[in-house]
Amino acid sequence: MLDLLIQNGLIFDGLGSAPVRGDIGIQDGRIVAIAPSLSISAREVVDASGLWVMPGFIDIHTHYDLELEIAPGLSESVRHGVTSVVIGNCSLSIAIGEPQMLADIFQRVETLSHRLIEKWLQQSFSWQTPAEYLQHLQQLPLGPNVAPLFGHSALRASVMGLERSLTVQPSKFELKIMQQITADALDAGFVGVSIDMFPWHRMSGAWRGCTIPSQHAKFKEYAMLAKLCRRSDRAFQVTPNLQKLASFVDILRMGLGIGQKPLRLTVLSALDAVHDRKLWRIFSPILNFWNRILGGNVRFQTLTEPFTIYSDGPVTPLFEEFSTGAQLNGCESRQERERLWKSEVFRHQFRQEWLNKRRKSFHRQLDLIEVVRCPETSWQGLSFAEIAHQKHQEPVDLFIQALQHYDTDLRWVATGANDRLKPRLAMMQHPYIFPGFTDAGAHVRNLGYYDGALSLLKQAVATKFLLPEAAISRVTGEPARWFRLDTGVMKVGAKADIVLLDPNALNQPISPQVEILDPVLDGEPRMVKRGSDEIVQAVYINGVRVVSKGKVSDRLGRERLGSVLSPC
């Protein structure tokens, strides 16, 4: 007798093949039969007439490393059909190192809640090696499957000590130790290594404001890690320095495939930036040349919807790219920020940096930045430029006054990229660009793109820029093959990680981000997505239904359903 029989659904295999109508038999968490009709008794029978049946989605860029320790069900992603997540991105992981040091590396980069950090630090921390960390993960009551990258910042700080990792280059002996630890980690089952060159990523704690350890490495250190990934055919994830051309030259050198085995390289990120409307056009020729002429195996990542970020007054990741903004983010209290604002020199410098048109990744156009919430309620829904016009002020001067006077009582929103449909569709369709990069689990007050796969499917249905089977493959079988993960496909023998969707409900716009008070964060606010309850009829992990028409099962996060994925 089967545990579960799903009947009459339109089955998508995750490989891009045309869908077929049929039945799926599940026993002991595995798919044991797929056929036009199955006449086998089952403990549970689900009629999927009118529904699409497909593999669970894979989120290739998350920062759930700490949240897994607190709430391993990861319900915010699972409720949108995600059944596998890649963690350890951007050089950040907790696979090695002392807990407080790791917290200081994570907290400001990912703008994580102090309560979440404290909650995590209070828990036991028993592993000493990356292999022991994988064993620890396997014992957690995982909701989705977890594919961990090995983070370079954690490695560097652990081997060199935090201070030296931020101030000097490693000795030959330390470099050798890093090499051995990384090789052992890859042998133990990590899916790859992540490094970071992005200057927005800064420390909290004693070294607050300093960029994180991975950014202090030289090419030789990065190349050593890339060589290990090339040798073992593992993924090498890079977050480049958008303001430094040399960083792209280094990445190109590491990703060359001529005369050698290609490096499985994935790079953040391909976006249609508001501040540079031509930038998105260079991604396709670069990737085509890199992969087809230079023998690379490179995948960029893009967001499947407009890149809209919410900010609390002067506390925002958007300020990390200029020095006065970074100083404000580094303050631990409103009083500290008030002391900075009292300085005429500081205010003048902030103004100059904000207006500087060079070396910026965020547009800073105050006519495109809107007030969401403010004690001055008449401002809500207006841009800062509109408010300044009413008050006969320069927009930047009003913006500074608002930040100074209202601090985090002022909440504002801006879209920095991917707001235009045509470029967004072109990037999502490109064979060398993954529709990923959700940052799920990070910046919980600033963004929430947990439904990235559903946003892709909605746009595919609305515009027909991809056939449904091709769109589904882009977020299931395709990333699974590239990361070498045993998931993302519907076949006999596969783990029963399955999503049932109502295709009629896909005819709706991309869901807006909304704010909730999240019990995982002890009631602190979090940006999330809702509106997929009609779309996602059911989510199964290991053959267990964990989501049913928007309702998340109590079993999620209490039973071990997901597993730790290693390259296959």
Short mmCIF file of all heavy atoms in Angstrom, two decimals, residues 284-344:
data_model
loop_
_atom_site.label_atom_id
_atom_site.label_comp_id
_atom_site.label_asym_id
_atom_site.label_seq_id
_atom_site.Cartn_x
_atom_site.Cartn_y
_atom_site.Cartn_z
N SER A 284 24.58 39.74 -20.99
CA SER A 284 24.46 38.67 -21.98
C SER A 284 25.74 38.50 -22.80
O SER A 284 26.27 37.39 -22.89
CB SER A 284 23.27 38.93 -22.90
OG SER A 284 23.16 37.90 -23.86
N PRO A 285 26.31 39.57 -23.41
CA PRO A 285 27.54 39.35 -24.18
C PRO A 285 28.71 38.88 -23.31
O PRO A 285 29.51 38.04 -23.77
CB PRO A 285 27.83 40.73 -24.80
CG PRO A 285 26.97 41.70 -24.08
CD PRO A 285 25.80 40.95 -23.57
N ILE A 286 28.81 39.37 -22.08
CA ILE A 286 29.89 38.91 -21.19
C ILE A 286 29.76 37.42 -20.91
O ILE A 286 30.73 36.66 -21.02
CB ILE A 286 29.87 39.71 -19.87
CG1 ILE A 286 30.40 41.13 -20.09
CG2 ILE A 286 30.71 39.01 -18.80
CD1 ILE A 286 30.30 42.01 -18.87
N LEU A 287 28.56 36.99 -20.57
CA LEU A 287 28.35 35.59 -20.22
C LEU A 287 28.51 34.68 -21.43
O LEU A 287 29.09 33.58 -21.32
CB LEU A 287 26.96 35.41 -19.60
CG LEU A 287 26.82 35.90 -18.16
CD1 LEU A 287 25.36 36.03 -17.77
CD2 LEU A 287 27.55 34.97 -17.20
N ASN A 288 28.01 35.11 -22.57
CA ASN A 288 28.17 34.29 -23.77
C ASN A 288 29.64 34.13 -24.13
O ASN A 288 30.09 33.03 -24.47
CB ASN A 288 27.40 34.92 -24.94
CG ASN A 288 25.90 34.77 -24.79
OD1 ASN A 288 25.41 33.84 -24.15
ND2 ASN A 288 25.14 35.69 -25.37
N PHE A 289 30.40 35.21 -24.07
CA PHE A 289 31.83 35.15 -24.37
C PHE A 289 32.56 34.30 -23.35
O PHE A 289 33.39 33.45 -23.69
CB PHE A 289 32.40 36.57 -24.41
CG PHE A 289 33.85 36.63 -24.77
CD1 PHE A 289 34.27 36.44 -26.08
CD2 PHE A 289 34.82 36.88 -23.80
CE1 PHE A 289 35.62 36.49 -26.43
CE2 PHE A 289 36.17 36.93 -24.13
CZ PHE A 289 36.57 36.74 -25.45
N TRP A 290 32.24 34.52 -22.08
CA TRP A 290 32.90 33.81 -20.98
C TRP A 290 32.68 32.30 -21.09
O TRP A 290 33.61 31.50 -20.95
CB TRP A 290 32.33 34.34 -19.67
CG TRP A 290 33.19 34.16 -18.45
CD1 TRP A 290 34.25 33.32 -18.29
CD2 TRP A 290 33.05 34.86 -17.22
NE1 TRP A 290 34.77 33.45 -17.03
CE2 TRP A 290 34.06 34.39 -16.35
CE3 TRP A 290 32.16 35.83 -16.76
CZ2 TRP A 290 34.19 34.86 -15.04
CZ3 TRP A 290 32.31 36.31 -15.46
CH2 TRP A 290 33.31 35.83 -14.62
N ASN A 291 31.45 31.89 -21.34
CA ASN A 291 31.11 30.47 -21.37
C ASN A 291 31.42 29.79 -22.70
O ASN A 291 31.88 28.65 -22.72
CB ASN A 291 29.64 30.28 -21.01
CG ASN A 291 29.35 30.51 -19.53
OD1 ASN A 291 30.06 30.00 -18.67
ND2 ASN A 291 28.33 31.28 -19.23
N ARG A 292 31.18 30.48 -23.80
CA ARG A 292 31.30 29.83 -25.11
C ARG A 292 32.70 29.97 -25.71
O ARG A 292 33.16 29.07 -26.41
CB ARG A 292 30.26 30.42 -26.06
CG ARG A 292 28.83 30.11 -25.64
CD ARG A 292 27.82 30.80 -26.53
NE ARG A 292 26.45 30.57 -26.07
CZ ARG A 292 25.37 31.12 -26.61
NH1 ARG A 292 25.50 31.94 -27.65
NH2 ARG A 292 24.17 30.87 -26.13
N ILE A 293 33.36 31.08 -25.44
CA ILE A 293 34.69 31.30 -26.02
C ILE A 293 35.80 30.97 -25.03
O ILE A 293 36.79 30.32 -25.38
CB ILE A 293 34.84 32.76 -26.51
CG1 ILE A 293 33.70 33.14 -27.45
CG2 ILE A 293 36.21 32.97 -27.17
CD1 ILE A 293 33.61 32.27 -28.69
N LEU A 294 35.61 31.40 -23.78
CA LEU A 294 36.66 31.20 -22.77
C LEU A 294 36.49 29.91 -21.98
O LEU A 294 37.23 29.66 -21.04
CB LEU A 294 36.68 32.40 -21.80
CG LEU A 294 36.96 33.77 -22.44
CD1 LEU A 294 36.97 34.87 -21.38
CD2 LEU A 294 38.28 33.75 -23.22
N GLY A 295 35.49 29.10 -22.33
CA GLY A 295 35.34 27.79 -21.72
C GLY A 295 34.88 27.79 -20.29
O GLY A 295 35.16 26.85 -19.54
N GLY A 296 34.16 28.84 -19.87
CA GLY A 296 33.71 28.93 -18.48
C GLY A 296 32.44 28.15 -18.22
O GLY A 296 31.79 27.63 -19.12
N ASN A 297 32.09 28.08 -16.94
CA ASN A 297 30.82 27.49 -16.50
C ASN A 297 30.24 28.45 -15.47
O ASN A 297 30.20 28.17 -14.29
CB ASN A 297 31.05 26.11 -15.91
CG ASN A 297 29.75 25.41 -15.53
OD1 ASN A 297 28.66 25.89 -15.86
ND2 ASN A 297 29.84 24.31 -14.81
N VAL A 298 29.82 29.61 -15.97
CA VAL A 298 29.48 30.75 -15.11
C VAL A 298 27.99 31.01 -15.16
O VAL A 298 27.38 30.99 -16.23
CB VAL A 298 30.24 32.02 -15.55
CG1 VAL A 298 29.97 33.17 -14.59
CG2 VAL A 298 31.74 31.75 -15.66
N ARG A 299 27.41 31.27 -14.00
CA ARG A 299 26.01 31.66 -13.88
C ARG A 299 25.90 32.91 -13.01
O ARG A 299 26.35 32.91 -11.87
CB ARG A 299 25.16 30.54 -13.27
CG ARG A 299 25.14 29.24 -14.06
CD ARG A 299 24.46 29.37 -15.39
NE ARG A 299 24.36 28.11 -16.10
CZ ARG A 299 25.31 27.61 -16.88
NH1 ARG A 299 26.45 28.27 -17.06
NH2 ARG A 299 25.14 26.45 -17.51
N PHE A 300 25.33 33.97 -13.58
CA PHE A 300 24.95 35.12 -12.76
C PHE A 300 23.61 34.79 -12.09
O PHE A 300 22.94 33.81 -12.44
CB PHE A 300 24.83 36.38 -13.61
CG PHE A 300 26.14 37.02 -13.99
CD1 PHE A 300 27.35 36.43 -13.67
CD2 PHE A 300 26.16 38.22 -14.67
CE1 PHE A 300 28.56 37.00 -14.01
CE2 PHE A 300 27.36 38.82 -15.03
CZ PHE A 300 28.56 38.21 -14.70
N GLN A 301 23.21 35.63 -11.15
CA GLN A 301 21.92 35.46 -10.47
C GLN A 301 21.15 36.77 -10.57
O GLN A 301 21.73 37.86 -10.50
CB GLN A 301 22.13 35.11 -9.00
CG GLN A 301 22.89 33.81 -8.78
CD GLN A 301 23.13 33.51 -7.30
OE1 GLN A 301 22.49 34.07 -6.42
NE2 GLN A 301 24.06 32.59 -7.03
N THR A 302 19.83 36.68 -10.75
CA THR A 302 19.01 37.87 -10.80
C THR A 302 17.78 37.70 -9.92
O THR A 302 17.36 36.57 -9.62
CB THR A 302 18.58 38.22 -12.24
OG1 THR A 302 18.02 39.54 -12.26
CG2 THR A 302 17.55 37.24 -12.78
N LEU A 303 17.20 38.81 -9.53
CA LEU A 303 15.96 38.82 -8.77
C LEU A 303 14.80 38.76 -9.75
O LEU A 303 14.86 39.36 -10.83
CB LEU A 303 15.88 40.10 -7.93
CG LEU A 303 14.76 40.24 -6.91
CD1 LEU A 303 14.90 39.21 -5.80
CD2 LEU A 303 14.76 41.65 -6.32
N THR A 304 13.74 38.06 -9.40
CA THR A 304 12.62 37.86 -10.34
C THR A 304 11.58 38.97 -10.28
O THR A 304 10.53 38.86 -10.92
CB THR A 304 11.93 36.51 -10.06
OG1 THR A 304 11.42 36.52 -8.73
CG2 THR A 304 12.90 35.35 -10.23
N GLU A 305 11.85 40.03 -9.55
CA GLU A 305 10.89 41.12 -9.43
C GLU A 305 11.63 42.42 -9.12
O GLU A 305 12.85 42.42 -8.95
CB GLU A 305 9.87 40.80 -8.34
CG GLU A 305 10.46 40.50 -6.98
CD GLU A 305 9.41 39.99 -6.02
OE1 GLU A 305 8.74 40.83 -5.39
OE2 GLU A 305 9.25 38.76 -5.89
N PRO A 306 10.93 43.55 -9.07
CA PRO A 306 11.61 44.80 -8.73
C PRO A 306 12.32 44.71 -7.37
O PRO A 306 11.77 44.15 -6.42
CB PRO A 306 10.45 45.81 -8.68
CG PRO A 306 9.44 45.25 -9.64
CD PRO A 306 9.52 43.77 -9.46
N PHE A 307 13.53 45.26 -7.33
CA PHE A 307 14.36 45.21 -6.13
C PHE A 307 13.99 46.39 -5.25
O PHE A 307 14.59 47.46 -5.31
CB PHE A 307 15.83 45.26 -6.53
CG PHE A 307 16.78 44.88 -5.43
CD1 PHE A 307 16.35 44.30 -4.26
CD2 PHE A 307 18.14 45.11 -5.57
CE1 PHE A 307 17.22 43.94 -3.24
CE2 PHE A 307 19.04 44.77 -4.57
CZ PHE A 307 18.58 44.19 -3.41
N THR A 308 12.97 46.19 -4.42
CA THR A 308 12.42 47.23 -3.56
C THR A 308 12.87 47.00 -2.13
O THR A 308 12.68 45.91 -1.59
CB THR A 308 10.88 47.23 -3.65
OG1 THR A 308 10.49 47.48 -5.00
CG2 THR A 308 10.29 48.31 -2.75
N ILE A 309 13.45 48.04 -1.54
CA ILE A 309 14.04 47.92 -0.21
C ILE A 309 13.39 48.94 0.72
O ILE A 309 13.28 50.13 0.39
CB ILE A 309 15.56 48.15 -0.27
CG1 ILE A 309 16.22 47.09 -1.15
CG2 ILE A 309 16.17 48.11 1.13
CD1 ILE A 309 17.71 47.25 -1.31
N TYR A 310 12.98 48.47 1.89
CA TYR A 310 12.42 49.33 2.93
C TYR A 310 13.51 49.70 3.92
O TYR A 310 14.40 48.90 4.22
CB TYR A 310 11.28 48.60 3.65
CG TYR A 310 10.04 48.42 2.80
CD1 TYR A 310 9.98 47.42 1.85
CD2 TYR A 310 8.95 49.27 2.95
CE1 TYR A 310 8.85 47.27 1.05
CE2 TYR A 310 7.81 49.12 2.16
CZ TYR A 310 7.77 48.11 1.22
OH TYR A 310 6.65 47.97 0.43
N SER A 311 13.44 50.93 4.44
CA SER A 311 14.48 51.42 5.34
C SER A 311 13.86 52.13 6.53
O SER A 311 12.81 52.77 6.42
CB SER A 311 15.40 52.39 4.60
OG SER A 311 16.04 51.76 3.50
N ASP A 312 14.54 52.03 7.67
CA ASP A 312 14.11 52.70 8.89
C ASP A 312 14.99 53.92 9.14
O ASP A 312 16.06 53.82 9.75
CB ASP A 312 14.18 51.73 10.08
CG ASP A 312 13.18 50.60 9.95
OD1 ASP A 312 11.99 50.88 9.80
OD2 ASP A 312 13.61 49.43 9.96
N GLY A 313 14.53 55.07 8.65
CA GLY A 313 15.29 56.29 8.82
C GLY A 313 16.71 56.14 8.31
O GLY A 313 16.94 55.72 7.17
N PRO A 314 17.71 56.42 9.15
CA PRO A 314 19.10 56.33 8.72
C PRO A 314 19.70 54.93 8.89
O PRO A 314 20.90 54.75 8.67
CB PRO A 314 19.80 57.32 9.66
CG PRO A 314 19.00 57.26 10.91
CD PRO A 314 17.57 57.01 10.51
N VAL A 315 18.88 53.95 9.28
CA VAL A 315 19.38 52.59 9.46
C VAL A 315 18.93 51.77 8.26
O VAL A 315 17.78 51.34 8.17
CB VAL A 315 18.86 51.97 10.78
CG1 VAL A 315 19.41 50.57 10.96
CG2 VAL A 315 19.24 52.86 11.96
N THR A 316 19.85 51.54 7.34
CA THR A 316 19.50 50.88 6.10
C THR A 316 20.74 50.36 5.40
O THR A 316 21.78 51.05 5.39
CB THR A 316 18.75 51.84 5.14
OG1 THR A 316 18.64 51.23 3.85
CG2 THR A 316 19.47 53.17 4.99
N PRO A 317 20.69 49.19 4.78
CA PRO A 317 21.85 48.72 4.01
C PRO A 317 22.18 49.62 2.83
O PRO A 317 23.31 49.59 2.33
CB PRO A 317 21.41 47.32 3.54
CG PRO A 317 19.93 47.27 3.69
CD PRO A 317 19.60 48.19 4.81
N LEU A 318 21.24 50.45 2.39
CA LEU A 318 21.51 51.35 1.27
C LEU A 318 22.53 52.42 1.63
O LEU A 318 23.11 53.04 0.73
CB LEU A 318 20.21 52.00 0.80
CG LEU A 318 19.15 51.06 0.23
CD1 LEU A 318 17.88 51.82 -0.10
CD2 LEU A 318 19.68 50.35 -1.01
N PHE A 319 22.73 52.67 2.92
CA PHE A 319 23.68 53.70 3.35
C PHE A 319 25.10 53.15 3.52
O PHE A 319 26.03 53.91 3.77
CB PHE A 319 23.24 54.32 4.67
CG PHE A 319 22.15 55.37 4.54
CD1 PHE A 319 21.51 55.59 3.34
CD2 PHE A 319 21.77 56.12 5.65
CE1 PHE A 319 20.50 56.54 3.22
CE2 PHE A 319 20.77 57.08 5.54
CZ PHE A 319 20.14 57.29 4.34
N GLU A 320 25.27 51.83 3.40
CA GLU A 320 26.59 51.25 3.66
C GLU A 320 27.63 51.63 2.60
O GLU A 320 28.81 51.47 2.82
CB GLU A 320 26.50 49.72 3.76
CG GLU A 320 25.70 49.20 4.95
CD GLU A 320 26.44 49.30 6.27
OE1 GLU A 320 27.25 50.23 6.46
OE2 GLU A 320 26.22 48.42 7.13
N GLU A 321 27.20 52.13 1.45
CA GLU A 321 28.15 52.38 0.37
C GLU A 321 28.85 53.74 0.47
O GLU A 321 29.74 54.02 -0.34
CB GLU A 321 27.48 52.23 -0.99
CG GLU A 321 26.47 53.27 -1.33
CD GLU A 321 25.98 53.15 -2.78
OE1 GLU A 321 26.71 52.58 -3.61
OE2 GLU A 321 24.87 53.61 -3.06
N PHE A 322 28.47 54.60 1.42
CA PHE A 322 29.20 55.86 1.59
C PHE A 322 29.48 56.07 3.07
O PHE A 322 28.75 55.59 3.95
CB PHE A 322 28.47 57.04 0.95
CG PHE A 322 27.07 57.29 1.46
CD1 PHE A 322 26.82 58.25 2.43
CD2 PHE A 322 25.99 56.58 0.95
CE1 PHE A 322 25.53 58.50 2.89
CE2 PHE A 322 24.69 56.81 1.39
CZ PHE A 322 24.47 57.77 2.37
N SER A 323 30.56 56.80 3.37
CA SER A 323 31.14 56.77 4.72
C SER A 323 30.22 57.32 5.80
O SER A 323 30.12 56.73 6.88
CB SER A 323 32.47 57.53 4.74
OG SER A 323 32.28 58.91 4.44
N THR A 324 29.53 58.44 5.56
CA THR A 324 28.65 58.98 6.61
C THR A 324 27.45 58.07 6.83
O THR A 324 26.98 57.91 7.96
CB THR A 324 28.17 60.40 6.25
OG1 THR A 324 27.69 60.40 4.89
CG2 THR A 324 29.31 61.41 6.38
N GLY A 325 26.95 57.47 5.76
CA GLY A 325 25.85 56.50 5.91
C GLY A 325 26.29 55.30 6.71
O GLY A 325 25.55 54.80 7.57
N ALA A 326 27.51 54.82 6.45
CA ALA A 326 28.04 53.68 7.21
C ALA A 326 28.21 54.03 8.68
O ALA A 326 27.97 53.19 9.56
CB ALA A 326 29.36 53.24 6.61
N GLN A 327 28.60 55.27 8.96
CA GLN A 327 28.72 55.71 10.36
C GLN A 327 27.37 55.66 11.06
O GLN A 327 27.27 55.23 12.22
CB GLN A 327 29.28 57.13 10.43
CG GLN A 327 30.75 57.25 10.08
CD GLN A 327 31.22 58.70 10.17
OE1 GLN A 327 31.22 59.30 11.23
NE2 GLN A 327 31.60 59.25 9.03
N LEU A 328 26.32 56.08 10.37
CA LEU A 328 24.98 56.03 10.96
C LEU A 328 24.55 54.59 11.23
O LEU A 328 23.98 54.27 12.28
CB LEU A 328 23.97 56.71 10.03
CG LEU A 328 24.09 58.24 9.91
CD1 LEU A 328 23.32 58.75 8.71
CD2 LEU A 328 23.61 58.91 11.19
N ASN A 329 24.82 53.69 10.29
CA ASN A 329 24.48 52.28 10.48
C ASN A 329 25.26 51.66 11.62
O ASN A 329 24.80 50.70 12.25
CB ASN A 329 24.76 51.50 9.20
CG ASN A 329 23.61 51.58 8.21
OD1 ASN A 329 22.45 51.67 8.58
ND2 ASN A 329 23.93 51.54 6.92
N GLY A 330 26.44 52.19 11.89
CA GLY A 330 27.27 51.64 12.95
C GLY A 330 26.88 52.09 14.34
O GLY A 330 27.35 51.52 15.34
N CYS A 331 26.02 53.09 14.44
CA CYS A 331 25.60 53.58 15.76
C CYS A 331 24.71 52.54 16.44
O CYS A 331 23.86 51.91 15.80
CB CYS A 331 24.84 54.89 15.62
SG CYS A 331 25.84 56.27 15.05
N GLU A 332 24.89 52.40 17.73
CA GLU A 332 24.12 51.41 18.48
C GLU A 332 22.89 52.00 19.15
O GLU A 332 22.13 51.27 19.79
CB GLU A 332 25.03 50.74 19.52
CG GLU A 332 26.16 49.94 18.88
CD GLU A 332 27.01 49.22 19.89
OE1 GLU A 332 26.85 49.49 21.11
OE2 GLU A 332 27.85 48.39 19.49
N SER A 333 22.68 53.30 19.02
CA SER A 333 21.52 53.92 19.66
C SER A 333 21.14 55.20 18.91
O SER A 333 21.93 55.76 18.14
CB SER A 333 21.81 54.28 21.11
OG SER A 333 22.80 55.32 21.18
N ARG A 334 19.93 55.64 19.16
CA ARG A 334 19.45 56.90 18.58
C ARG A 334 20.29 58.07 19.07
O ARG A 334 20.57 59.02 18.32
CB ARG A 334 17.98 57.10 18.95
CG ARG A 334 17.32 58.29 18.30
CD ARG A 334 15.82 58.25 18.50
NE ARG A 334 15.13 59.29 17.76
CZ ARG A 334 13.86 59.25 17.42
NH1 ARG A 334 13.12 58.19 17.76
NH2 ARG A 334 13.30 60.24 16.75
N GLN A 335 20.73 57.98 20.31
CA GLN A 335 21.54 59.05 20.88
C GLN A 335 22.86 59.21 20.13
O GLN A 335 23.33 60.33 19.88
CB GLN A 335 21.81 58.79 22.37
CG GLN A 335 20.59 58.94 23.27
CD GLN A 335 19.57 57.82 23.10
OE1 GLN A 335 19.95 56.69 22.77
NE2 GLN A 335 18.29 58.14 23.30
N GLU A 336 23.47 58.09 19.75
CA GLU A 336 24.72 58.15 18.97
C GLU A 336 24.49 58.84 17.64
O GLU A 336 25.31 59.65 17.19
CB GLU A 336 25.27 56.74 18.73
CG GLU A 336 26.11 56.17 19.85
CD GLU A 336 26.83 54.91 19.41
OE1 GLU A 336 27.65 54.99 18.48
OE2 GLU A 336 26.54 53.84 19.98
N ARG A 337 23.39 58.52 16.98
CA ARG A 337 23.09 59.14 15.69
C ARG A 337 22.80 60.63 15.87
O ARG A 337 23.21 61.45 15.03
CB ARG A 337 21.91 58.43 15.02
CG ARG A 337 22.24 57.02 14.56
CD ARG A 337 21.13 56.42 13.72
NE ARG A 337 19.94 56.12 14.49
CZ ARG A 337 19.73 55.00 15.16
NH1 ARG A 337 20.65 54.05 15.17
NH2 ARG A 337 18.60 54.80 15.82
N GLU A 338 22.12 60.99 16.95
CA GLU A 338 21.84 62.41 17.21
C GLU A 338 23.13 63.20 17.37
O GLU A 338 23.23 64.35 16.91
CB GLU A 338 20.96 62.55 18.46
CG GLU A 338 19.52 62.12 18.23
CD GLU A 338 18.69 62.13 19.51
OE1 GLU A 338 19.30 62.29 20.60
OE2 GLU A 338 17.46 61.98 19.43
N ARG A 339 24.12 62.58 18.02
CA ARG A 339 25.40 63.29 18.20
C ARG A 339 26.08 63.54 16.86
O ARG A 339 26.69 64.58 16.64
CB ARG A 339 26.31 62.49 19.14
CG ARG A 339 25.91 62.58 20.60
CD ARG A 339 27.00 62.08 21.53
NE ARG A 339 27.18 60.65 21.46
CZ ARG A 339 26.51 59.77 22.22
NH1 ARG A 339 25.60 60.21 23.09
NH2 ARG A 339 26.74 58.48 22.10
N LEU A 340 25.97 62.56 15.95
CA LEU A 340 26.54 62.76 14.62
C LEU A 340 25.83 63.89 13.89
O LEU A 340 26.47 64.77 13.29
CB LEU A 340 26.43 61.47 13.80
CG LEU A 340 27.37 60.32 14.14
CD1 LEU A 340 27.06 59.11 13.26
CD2 LEU A 340 28.83 60.73 13.94
N TRP A 341 24.51 63.89 13.92
CA TRP A 341 23.73 64.90 13.19
C TRP A 341 23.97 66.31 13.71
O TRP A 341 23.83 67.29 12.97
CB TRP A 341 22.24 64.59 13.25
CG TRP A 341 21.77 63.44 12.41
CD1 TRP A 341 21.12 62.32 12.84
CD2 TRP A 341 21.89 63.29 10.99
NE1 TRP A 341 20.83 61.49 11.80
CE2 TRP A 341 21.28 62.05 10.64
CE3 TRP A 341 22.45 64.07 9.98
CZ2 TRP A 341 21.22 61.60 9.32
CZ3 TRP A 341 22.39 63.61 8.67
CH2 TRP A 341 21.79 62.40 8.36
N LYS A 342 24.34 66.45 14.98
CA LYS A 342 24.58 67.77 15.55
C LYS A 342 25.80 68.45 14.94
O LYS A 342 25.95 69.67 15.02
CB LYS A 342 24.74 67.68 17.07
CG LYS A 342 23.42 67.44 17.80
CD LYS A 342 23.64 67.31 19.30
CE LYS A 342 22.32 67.04 20.02
NZ LYS A 342 22.51 66.86 21.49
N SER A 343 26.66 67.65 14.33
CA SER A 343 27.88 68.19 13.72
C SER A 343 27.56 68.76 12.34
O SER A 343 27.11 68.05 11.45
CB SER A 343 28.94 67.10 13.60
OG SER A 343 29.98 67.50 12.74
N GLU A 344 27.85 70.05 12.15
CA GLU A 344 27.63 70.68 10.85
C GLU A 344 28.54 70.04 9.79
O GLU A 344 28.15 69.89 8.63
CB GLU A 344 27.90 72.18 10.94
CG GLU A 344 27.59 72.92 9.66
CD GLU A 344 27.79 74.43 9.80
OE1 GLU A 344 27.82 74.92 10.95
OE2 GLU A 344 27.90 75.10 8.76
#
